[in-house]
Amino acid sequence: MLLNDDILLLVFSTIFNTRDIHVEHRQATIRCASQVCQRWRNLILPASYIWGRLLWVNTKQNVKWMAEVLERAKNSTLVWMTLEPCLYSVYSEPFFGCFVLRVLNDTWERLEELDINFSYNSRCNVKKAIWQYLKTPAPKLRVFSLSSWMDDALQRTLFNNSAPLLRSFTCYNLPQPSSWLSRITTLKFTPDTVKDILSAVSWAPCLQVLHLGSQGNKPEPVHLSLEDCERVVSMSPTILARLARIDMLYLSIDEFNALWCSRYQSPAELYSHIVIRVAFDEEAPPQPGEAQELNYSGFIDALSNFFYHHAGITTANIQNYDLEWKVEADYTYIIVEVKASRVPELYMKLRFNCGFSEPDELKPFLARAVTEYARHTKNFYLTIVGNLKEYQSLEIFHFLLSSLEDVESATLDITSICYFNEMEERTGQCLFTKLKAASYKSQYGLLEEELCDLKTFLMRRVRAGHPLSTIDFQVPENNQAEIFHALKEVPGLQITYVEQSRTKVR
């Protein structure tokens, strides 16, 4: 059945609207689609609003093609542009600089999104050409991103202090307060000190999302001292709510406790993506004249408030969020990752750096601390990437796993299977009584011992009256015969394989 033209155009529009895919790939996809058949070509070529979202100006492309895209976008009322002057160019510098000026001149009044990505050695004249336009008002600009450092002169003249619709701003360094920045809802920058963070949440009253770290790069460690935490806590509840939405932060345990010491602030309502690294050991920034002491009771309260400040989660209502839990453990850390499949914005990740001190006390404490929040999860994944024997001998995750009575699907790997088998043999308990489906991860293929351990886990469930109905393998194709042979005696088990977006059933 042929799709109507309006449905086809709607499909094409999903391509250029996918912001997490670089414009290079989105543009190439649309270009290929326009060459599929004459009907598609007749639809795509005149659609200025499509091409207006696919402007990609850089020194790698043929200038005739870039000019063609610009011509196709001439009637688009709004334009998204990615500007990437690169070091190595097939064009002479003056020629490319003139083309950049032409594009900016044609689109500036229509620009809704502008992403400027400079290489470290971008040509000076091209930069100057762009800098001149950044000094003029931007009437329709909503999203702006600049990978380069902004000097004081540019900050003072940026957009001539007139960008009334601007809501998302990304730059390497923190801009100075201005009237248009007061309306920013999303801000991303690389702070020099924690004062930069506190300044940002103070002068941006509409701020909803604060990312720390330059565009596309790993965030730099940002440490809050106890003095900083006290200053934050003394701020108004409105400012604290903005700080609760920070995307990356490095804290000591005392600093974590100080930041989430109360529930006086309102929970974040629109955005809950947060990644925090909490240090329990020597990795934490030292406090002058003081030895860092672990405050376990304070941490329990802070953890409770942490969940509350992100979407109002409590132990009483967390089952309503349908959260997926992943726990990863190694010699020196435990990572807890929580996300909601139906609400992508709801994502929390806590990395606890435990060091090598007091392993028999700290790690079991952390596992117990998160149990009250994880116990209602229906989707769970435990992976121990290092030090499996210690986690087994000290029964570090026993209490957590015994509490997971609602798990219906799980991700398995060799370390989790080994831990589950050892725990079930020691306690005589069958884990996850509601578990029906699982996926199995193996990066390099399954060994005979690994399949034997998996079969032991599956057969124990059969004998306990809780058989697994489906297991999905993400393994190389040459492992399929071995898997089928090893697990063919497990009654009622359907084995599926995932290979390059195709599913096979045996």
Side-chain angles (χ1 to χ4, degrees), residues 233-492:
V233 172
S234 66
M235 289 182 171
S236 70
T238 303
I239 291 177
L240 286 174
R242 293 178 215 140
L243 189 58
R245 300 180 180 111
I246 284 181
D247 185 56
M248 176 65 76
L249 196 61
Y250 288 52
L251 301 170
S252 71
I253 176 59
D254 288 332
E255 294 159 6
F256 181 86
N257 294 350
L259 274 179
W260 280 277
C261 64
S262 73
R263 284 193 181 180
Y264 291 125
Q265 66 187 85
S266 300
E269 297 177 356
L270 299 178
Y271 190 83
S272 300
H273 188 291
I274 184 164
V275 180
I276 294 181
R277 190 176 81 173
V278 184
F280 281 82
D281 63 342
E282 64 277 1
E283 291 188 31
Q287 305 301 323
E290 296 182 9
Q292 184 178 335
E293 297 181 359
L294 302 183
N295 186 340
Y296 286 173
S297 62
F299 174 77
I300 294 293
D301 293 337
L303 187 66
S304 173
N305 292 330
F306 171 82
F307 276 96
Y308 174 75
H309 290 316
H310 301 284
I313 293 175
T314 66
T315 54
N317 67 16
I318 194 169
Q319 68 270 17
N320 300 328
Y321 290 84
D322 192 22
L323 299 176
E324 300 177 8
W325 281 71
K326 176 183 178 181
V327 178
E328 179 180 318
D330 199 350
Y331 290 91
T332 60
Y333 67 78
I334 292 178
I335 295 176
V336 176
E337 190 173 351
V338 185
K339 61 182 178 180
S341 56
R342 293 181 298 191
V343 187
E345 295 82 5
L346 183 54
Y347 175 86
M348 292 173 280
K349 183 175 181 180
L350 290 170
R351 174 181 173 127
F352 301 106
N353 290 337
C354 308
F356 292 96
S357 61
E358 301 182 276
D360 55 336
E361 176 185 357
L362 179 55
K363 292 174 183 176
F365 164 75
L366 289 173
R368 284 179 173 267
V370 301
T371 296
E372 288 301 311
Y373 301 93
R375 66 168 67 248
H376 294 293
T377 184
K378 296 180 180 180
N379 190 309
F380 183 73
Y381 179 23
L382 170 68
T383 180
I384 302 174
V385 297
N387 207 19
L388 174 62
K389 290 184 178 180
E390 180 189 275
Y391 283 97
Q392 288 176 322
S393 63
L394 298 178
E395 303 182 0
I396 288 175
F397 292 117
H398 279 36
F399 181 74
L400 169 64
L401 295 174
S402 299
S403 303
L404 301 179
E405 299 177 353
D406 295 331
V407 172
E408 297 176 356
S409 63
T411 302
L412 307 173
D413 61 21
I414 181 58
T415 62
S416 60
I417 287 295
C418 288
Y419 193 99
F420 297 159
N421 282 342
E422 193 274 342
M423 178 179 172
E424 289 181 336
E425 290 172 2
R426 183 184 300 190
T427 64
Q429 173 188 7
C430 181
L431 298 172
F432 317 134
T433 56
K434 297 181 181 179
L435 182 65
K436 295 299 180 183
S439 61
Y440 195 96
K441 286 189 174 182
S442 180
Q443 185 175 0
Y444 302 109
L446 289 156
L447 301 176
E448 184 177 349
E449 295 179 0
E450 192 171 345
L451 284 169
C452 183
D453 289 334
L454 178 58
K455 181 181 178 180
T456 300
F457 174 76
L458 295 173
M459 290 301 294
R460 186 184 292 109
R461 299 191 62 82
V462 172
R463 293 191 295 269
H466 306 293
L468 203 66
S469 59
T470 304
I471 186 167
D472 171 56
F473 284 92
Q474 302 175 37
V475 295
E477 185 173 0
N478 57 12
N479 264 165
Q480 293 182 12
E482 295 172 306
I483 293 170
F484 179 74
H485 178 74
L487 303 182
K488 64 182 180 181
E489 297 177 5
V490 181

